[in-house]
């Protein structure tokens, strides 16, 4: 195994999809399949036993919901990226998964090339979602803000005491809002791009968002960004 390979586990109860996703990973030289599980029980054994970078997980498992596993892994292994691969693109499943700690969400009809590119994007600090899923997220944000399409909402009042971000995370978010890349942020702050990526993942988790645009929007609504 190369140190540069992305190590992945798959949690999927449908044999056909399990084989399909396993084959996608095994055919990609830059990735390594660390294991597969067909249910929550098998997945828990795999999670406890293996070191891995990414978990691909379905939500509908025969012995429970994948959201419980997402929450457990995000708390116990915060450096692991979690991407939901499912048939459920509705608002409730999407929002519940993101709140539990998922950093990506794609549908099962994604092409092999899409799956590979989404995994790479995850490890680069991004949060890939299928277009249908993105629409669900936007609806959830609009609903939470109490707005409707085309309506501009006033920023929510916030004080420094209500800022869930650390000083360094806030600093990084300010630079993200200016459109700077991870490498540029690292150069400005004197830290590595890997450290920037780790901070950004924490920002996404704390703000319950899954992309740069949503993080900036949410922070603006909370009054966390300086003018």
């Amino acid at each position: 195994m190369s140190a540069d390979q992305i190590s992945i586990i798959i949690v999927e109860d449908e044999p056909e999809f399990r084989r399909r996703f396993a084959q996608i990973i095994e055919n990609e030289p830059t990735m390594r399949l660390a294991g597969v599980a067909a249910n929550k029980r098998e997945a828990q054994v795999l999670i406890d036993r293996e070191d891995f970078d990414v978990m691909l997980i379905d939500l509908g498992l025969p012995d429970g919901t994948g959201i419980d596993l997402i929450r457990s892994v995000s708390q116990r292994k915060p450096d692991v990226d979690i991407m939901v691969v499912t048939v459920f693109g509705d608002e409730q499943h999407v929002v519940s998964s993101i709140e539990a700690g998922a950093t990506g969400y794609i549908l099962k009809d994604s092409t092999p090339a899409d799956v590979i590119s989404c995994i790479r994007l995850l490890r680069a600090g991004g949060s890939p979602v299928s277009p249908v899923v993105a629409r669900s997220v936007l609806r959830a944000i609009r609903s939470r803000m109490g707005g409707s399409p085309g309506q501009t909402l006033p920023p929510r009042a916030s004080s420094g005491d209500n800022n869930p971000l650390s000083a360094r995370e806030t600093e990084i978010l300010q630079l993200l809002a200016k459109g700077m890349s991870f490498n540029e942020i690292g150069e400005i702050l004197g830290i590595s791009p890997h450290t920037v990526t780790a901070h950004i993942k924490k920002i996404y988790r704390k703000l319950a968002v899954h992309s740069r645009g949503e993080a900036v929007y949410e922070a603006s609504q909370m009054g966390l960004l300086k003018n």
Side-chain angles (χ1 to χ4, degrees), residues 169-182 185 196 200 203-204 211-213 215-216 225:
E169 289 164 356
T170 301
E171 193 175 20
I172 288 174
L173 188 56
Q174 297 277 359
L175 296 174
L176 271 182
K178 295 178 181 178
M180 295 186 179
S181 69
F182 292 5
I185 292 172
V196 173
I200 289 173
I203 291 171
Y204 287 176
S211 70
R212 176 199 295 250
V216 172
L225 295 179

Side-chain angles (χ1 to χ4, degrees), residues 78-89:
D79 291 334
V80 168
D81 287 303
I82 303 167
M83 185 160 70
V84 175
V85 186
T86 185
V87 296
F88 301 115

Side-chain angles (χ1 to χ4, degrees), residues 201-213:
K201 288 178 181 177
K202 292 179 182 177
I203 291 171
Y204 287 176
R205 244 177 228 123
K206 289 181 179 180
L207 297 183
V209 299
H210 71 305
S211 70
R212 176 199 295 250

Side-chain angles (χ1 to χ4, degrees), residues 15-197:
E16 180 181 349
F17 283 112
R18 193 164 60 245
R19 285 193 297 269
R20 176 173 179 260
F21 293 128
Q23 186 175 34
I24 290 173
I25 302 306
E26 289 173 336
N27 288 342
E28 173 51 50
T30 63
M31 298 179 185
R32 179 182 75 91
L33 183 62
V36 296
N39 52 49
K40 280 182 64 177
R41 181 181 55 80
E42 291 180 5
Q44 196 60 67
V45 172
L46 196 60
I47 290 165
D48 293 339
R49 186 185 69 209
E50 298 290 337
D51 290 326
F52 56 98
D53 303 310
V54 175
M55 178 171 73
L56 303 185
I57 182 168
D58 189 11
L59 296 180
L61 301 174
D63 53 349
T65 172
I67 290 176
D68 293 336
L69 285 173
I70 293 172
R71 186 176 294 108
S72 174
V73 172
S74 67
Q75 292 172 351
R76 292 174 49 203
K77 300 187 176 188
D79 291 334
V80 168
D81 287 303
I82 303 167
M83 185 160 70
V84 175
V85 186
T86 185
V87 296
F88 301 115
D90 61 282
E91 184 177 316
Q92 180 179 351
H93 282 96
V94 173
V95 173
S96 295
S97 299
I98 293 172
E99 289 178 343
T103 43
Y105 197 114
I106 63 175
L107 300 183
K108 284 187 177 179
D109 60 0
S110 300
T111 67
D114 285 340
V115 173
I116 294 299
S117 64
C118 285
I119 292 172
R120 287 177 177 154
L121 182 56
L122 273 178
R123 296 308 292 168
S127 294
V129 296
S130 297
V132 171
V133 174
R135 184 180 294 271
S136 292
V137 172
L138 292 174
R139 279 199 303 265
I141 292 174
R142 189 176 294 126
S143 174
R144 185 171 62 177
M145 298 302 298
S148 58
Q151 178 182 0
T152 300
L153 300 168
R156 296 198 298 270
S158 177
S159 67
D161 293 338
N162 294 328
N163 187 349
L165 307 180
S166 68
R168 175 46 60 93
E169 289 164 356
T170 301
E171 193 175 20
I172 288 174
L173 188 56
Q174 297 277 359
L175 296 174
L176 271 182
K178 295 178 181 178
M180 295 186 179
S181 69
F182 292 5
N183 287 338
E184 290 170 335
I185 292 172
E187 290 175 3
I188 291 171
L189 300 180
I191 58 179
S192 71
H194 176 75
T195 301
V196 173
T197 298

